[in-house]
Amino acid sequence: MADVDLAQSSGGKRHKSTRSKKLSTRVDMTPMCDVAFLLITFFMLTTTLQRPKTMDLFLPKDVDNPEEQNKVKESQALTILVGEKNKIYYYEGTGENVSKDPVNLLKPSTYDLQSGIGKVISDKWKSVIQNSGGRDSMIVIIKPTDSSSYNNVVTLLDDMNIYSVKKYALVDISDNDKKLIDIKEQGQPQANANAAQ
Protein backbone atom coordinates (compact mmCIF):
# COMPACT_ATOMS: atom_id res chain seq x y z
CA MET A 1 0.00 0.00 0.00
CA ALA A 2 1.34 3.34 -0.95
CA ASP A 3 1.41 6.40 1.27
CA VAL A 4 -0.67 9.24 0.08
CA ASP A 5 0.77 12.68 0.56
CA LEU A 6 -2.17 15.01 0.76
CA ALA A 7 -0.14 18.14 0.70
CA GLN A 8 1.28 17.41 -2.70
CA SER A 9 -1.78 15.89 -4.20
CA SER A 10 -3.66 17.80 -6.76
CA GLY A 11 -7.01 16.89 -5.45
CA GLY A 12 -7.94 19.84 -3.20
CA LYS A 13 -6.31 21.34 -0.21
CA ARG A 14 -6.85 19.77 3.09
CA HIS A 15 -5.51 20.64 6.46
CA LYS A 16 -2.59 18.61 7.39
CA SER A 17 -3.19 16.80 10.65
CA THR A 18 -0.16 16.75 12.89
CA ARG A 19 0.29 14.45 15.74
CA SER A 20 2.23 15.74 18.70
CA LYS A 21 5.26 13.80 19.67
CA LYS A 22 5.08 12.13 23.05
CA LEU A 23 7.91 13.31 25.22
CA SER A 24 9.65 11.16 27.72
CA THR A 25 8.29 11.23 31.30
CA ARG A 26 11.73 10.83 32.81
CA VAL A 27 12.41 13.32 35.66
CA ASP A 28 15.94 14.27 36.51
CA MET A 29 16.32 13.84 40.31
CA THR A 30 19.81 15.31 40.56
CA PRO A 31 18.71 18.85 41.49
CA MET A 32 16.26 17.52 44.08
CA CYS A 33 19.00 15.46 45.74
CA ASP A 34 21.26 18.50 45.77
CA VAL A 35 18.58 20.59 47.45
CA ALA A 36 17.83 17.85 50.00
CA PHE A 37 21.50 17.53 51.00
CA LEU A 38 21.84 21.30 51.22
CA LEU A 39 18.83 21.46 53.55
CA ILE A 40 20.14 18.61 55.71
CA THR A 41 23.53 20.31 55.97
CA PHE A 42 21.90 23.65 56.80
CA PHE A 43 19.77 22.22 59.61
CA MET A 44 22.67 20.21 61.02
CA LEU A 45 24.86 23.29 61.22
CA THR A 46 22.25 25.71 62.54
CA THR A 47 20.50 23.48 65.08
CA THR A 48 21.78 23.70 68.65
CA LEU A 49 22.11 20.38 70.33
CA GLN A 50 20.69 19.87 73.81
CA ARG A 51 23.13 21.21 76.30
CA PRO A 52 23.84 19.18 79.43
CA LYS A 53 22.09 20.45 82.52
CA THR A 54 24.78 21.09 85.09
CA MET A 55 25.07 23.00 88.29
CA ASP A 56 28.20 24.64 89.61
CA LEU A 57 29.29 23.31 92.98
CA PHE A 58 31.96 25.11 94.95
CA LEU A 59 33.69 22.49 97.03
CA PRO A 60 35.80 23.41 100.07
CA LYS A 61 39.43 22.47 100.28
CA ASP A 62 40.40 19.47 102.34
CA VAL A 63 42.34 20.25 105.49
CA ASP A 64 44.41 17.93 107.62
CA ASN A 65 43.52 19.58 110.91
CA PRO A 66 39.79 19.37 111.73
CA GLU A 67 40.06 22.54 113.84
CA GLU A 68 40.86 24.55 110.70
CA GLN A 69 37.48 23.70 109.15
CA ASN A 70 34.76 26.31 109.01
CA LYS A 71 32.85 26.58 112.24
CA VAL A 72 29.08 26.95 111.96
CA LYS A 73 27.00 28.72 114.57
CA GLU A 74 24.15 26.66 115.95
CA SER A 75 21.64 29.48 115.43
CA GLN A 76 22.55 29.95 111.76
CA ALA A 77 22.50 26.32 110.63
CA LEU A 78 19.74 24.16 109.21
CA THR A 79 20.49 20.46 108.75
CA ILE A 80 18.48 18.40 106.27
CA LEU A 81 18.63 14.60 106.35
CA VAL A 82 17.61 12.88 103.10
CA GLY A 83 16.21 9.42 103.83
CA GLU A 84 15.01 6.53 101.74
CA LYS A 85 11.60 6.32 100.04
CA ASN A 86 11.38 10.11 99.55
CA LYS A 87 11.53 10.80 103.29
CA ILE A 88 13.16 13.99 104.45
CA TYR A 89 13.90 15.23 107.97
CA TYR A 90 15.36 18.44 109.27
CA TYR A 91 16.51 20.05 112.48
CA GLU A 92 17.78 23.49 113.31
CA GLY A 93 21.43 23.72 114.21
CA THR A 94 24.26 21.27 113.71
CA GLY A 95 22.83 18.46 115.81
CA GLU A 96 24.32 19.02 119.25
CA ASN A 97 20.93 19.35 120.95
CA VAL A 98 18.92 16.98 118.78
CA SER A 99 20.24 13.79 120.39
CA LYS A 100 18.60 14.82 123.68
CA ASP A 101 15.08 14.65 122.21
CA PRO A 102 15.15 13.31 118.62
CA VAL A 103 11.43 12.49 118.51
CA ASN A 104 10.47 16.16 118.98
CA LEU A 105 13.47 18.04 117.57
CA LEU A 106 13.95 15.98 114.39
CA LYS A 107 11.02 17.00 112.20
CA PRO A 108 9.73 15.31 109.04
CA SER A 109 8.93 17.31 105.93
CA THR A 110 8.11 16.94 102.24
CA TYR A 111 9.79 18.18 99.06
CA ASP A 112 7.01 20.72 98.42
CA LEU A 113 8.25 24.29 97.90
CA GLN A 114 5.15 25.96 99.36
CA SER A 115 4.40 23.92 102.46
CA GLY A 116 7.31 21.49 102.82
CA ILE A 117 11.06 21.96 102.96
CA GLY A 118 10.82 25.14 100.90
CA LYS A 119 8.80 26.82 103.65
CA VAL A 120 11.30 25.56 106.26
CA ILE A 121 14.23 27.07 104.34
CA SER A 122 12.37 30.34 103.84
CA ASP A 123 11.39 30.62 107.52
CA LYS A 124 14.93 29.83 108.68
CA TRP A 125 16.35 32.35 106.24
CA LYS A 126 14.06 35.10 107.59
CA SER A 127 14.89 34.13 111.19
CA VAL A 128 18.64 34.28 110.59
CA ILE A 129 18.40 37.67 108.88
CA GLN A 130 16.38 39.10 111.80
CA ASN A 131 18.77 37.70 114.41
CA SER A 132 21.97 38.68 112.60
CA GLY A 133 21.05 42.29 111.92
CA GLY A 134 20.15 41.95 108.23
CA ARG A 135 23.10 39.85 107.12
CA ASP A 136 22.42 36.57 105.36
CA SER A 137 24.71 34.15 107.16
CA MET A 138 22.52 31.03 107.07
CA ILE A 139 24.12 27.75 106.11
CA VAL A 140 22.21 24.63 105.09
CA ILE A 141 23.84 21.25 105.70
CA ILE A 142 22.47 18.48 103.46
CA LYS A 143 23.18 14.93 104.62
CA PRO A 144 21.94 12.19 102.27
CA THR A 145 21.78 8.61 103.52
CA ASP A 146 23.20 5.72 101.51
CA SER A 147 19.70 4.67 100.46
CA SER A 148 18.47 8.14 99.42
CA SER A 149 17.83 8.80 95.74
CA TYR A 150 19.98 11.01 93.55
CA ASN A 151 16.87 12.85 92.36
CA ASN A 152 15.98 13.96 95.89
CA VAL A 153 19.46 15.36 96.50
CA VAL A 154 19.35 17.29 93.21
CA THR A 155 15.89 18.61 94.17
CA LEU A 156 17.34 20.00 97.40
CA LEU A 157 20.24 21.59 95.53
CA ASP A 158 17.72 23.21 93.19
CA ASP A 159 15.85 24.52 96.24
CA MET A 160 19.08 26.20 97.38
CA ASN A 161 19.19 28.09 94.08
CA ILE A 162 15.48 28.93 94.19
CA TYR A 163 15.75 30.47 97.67
CA SER A 164 19.17 32.04 96.96
CA VAL A 165 20.92 30.20 99.77
CA LYS A 166 24.54 31.18 99.29
CA LYS A 167 26.08 28.82 101.82
CA TYR A 168 25.21 25.16 101.76
CA ALA A 169 27.19 21.99 102.16
CA LEU A 170 26.70 18.42 101.03
CA VAL A 171 28.08 16.30 103.88
CA ASP A 172 28.29 12.57 104.54
CA ILE A 173 25.71 11.48 107.07
CA SER A 174 27.09 10.50 110.47
CA ASP A 175 26.20 7.40 112.46
CA ASN A 176 24.53 9.67 115.02
CA ASP A 177 22.22 11.10 112.37
CA LYS A 178 21.31 7.59 111.20
CA LYS A 179 20.41 6.70 114.77
CA LEU A 180 18.29 9.86 115.01
CA ILE A 181 16.33 8.81 111.92
CA ASP A 182 15.81 5.31 113.33
CA ILE A 183 14.64 6.70 116.68
CA LYS A 184 12.32 9.15 114.93
CA GLU A 185 10.78 6.45 112.74
CA GLN A 186 10.29 4.15 115.71
CA GLY A 187 8.98 6.96 117.93
CA GLN A 188 6.66 8.43 115.31
CA PRO A 189 3.77 5.99 115.84
CA GLN A 190 3.99 6.53 119.61
CA ALA A 191 3.91 10.31 119.19
CA ASN A 192 0.90 10.04 116.87
CA ALA A 193 -0.85 7.72 119.30
CA ASN A 194 -0.22 10.14 122.19
CA ALA A 195 -1.50 13.05 120.09
CA ALA A 196 -4.65 11.09 119.20
CA GLN A 197 -5.46 10.48 122.89
Side-chain angles (χ1 to χ4, degrees):
M1 192 174 221
D3 289 335
V4 177
D5 189 6
L6 297 176
Q8 294 178 357
S9 66
S10 58
K13 293 185 178 178
R14 290 188 171 179
H15 294 288
K16 181 164 71 167
S17 66
T18 59
R19 291 187 178 181
S20 62
K21 291 184 180 179
K22 291 193 176 183
L23 299 176
S24 170
T25 57
R26 182 178 165 274
V27 177
D28 189 14
M29 297 295 288
T30 306
M32 185 178 283
C33 291
D34 289 344
V35 170
F37 280 112
L38 283 173
L39 286 173
I40 289 172
T41 306
F42 172 76
F43 285 119
M44 284 175 58
L45 295 176
T46 58
T47 303
T48 57
L49 299 175
Q50 183 180 8
R51 295 181 179 149
K53 297 176 183 175
T54 60
M55 182 184 306
D56 293 331
L57 289 177
F58 300 102
L59 301 175
K61 295 179 181 177
D62 289 333
V63 291
D64 295 330
N65 188 2
E67 295 175 3
E68 294 178 6
Q69 290 179 343
N70 294 336
K71 298 292 181 182
V72 178
K73 289 184 181 178
E74 194 76 17
S75 62
Q76 296 174 343
L78 175 68
T79 304
I80 301 173
L81 306 177
V82 185
E84 62 182 353
K85 298 179 184 174
N86 295 331
K87 292 183 181 177
I88 184 169
Y89 301 96
Y90 72 94
Y91 56 83
E92 296 192 15
T94 56
E96 296 172 6
N97 299 328
V98 179
S99 356
K100 297 174 185 173
D101 187 13
V103 175
N104 293 325
L105 294 178
L106 184 65
K107 300 171 186 168
S109 185
T110 62
Y111 289 95
D112 187 33
L113 282 175
Q114 302 296 327
S115 61
I117 197 66
K119 184 173 183 340
V120 172
I121 294 170
S122 177
D123 292 344
K124 181 67 177 180
W125 183 74
K126 290 174 187 172
S127 170
V128 168
I129 286 181
Q130 287 176 350
N131 294 335
S132 65
R135 289 186 350 215
D136 179 18
S137 54
M138 178 180 81
I139 183 164
V140 177
I141 303 167
I142 302 170
K143 297 182 178 183
T145 60
D146 295 335
S147 55
S148 63
S149 71
Y150 177 77
N151 187 30
N152 291 341
V153 176
V154 171
T155 301
L156 282 175
L157 293 176
D158 285 340
D159 292 347
M160 299 301 116
N161 284 338
I162 290 170
Y163 286 101
S164 301
V165 177
K166 295 176 184 142
K167 298 178 187 176
Y168 56 91
L170 195 60
V171 180
D172 291 334
I173 192 165
S174 64
D175 292 333
N176 188 34
D177 288 329
K178 291 178 185 177
K179 289 177 187 174
L180 292 176
I181 292 175
D182 291 340
I183 292 170
K184 179 67 176 180
E185 289 179 351
Q186 292 171 359
Q188 190 70 31
Q190 294 172 357
N192 288 341
N194 293 338
Q197 293 175 356

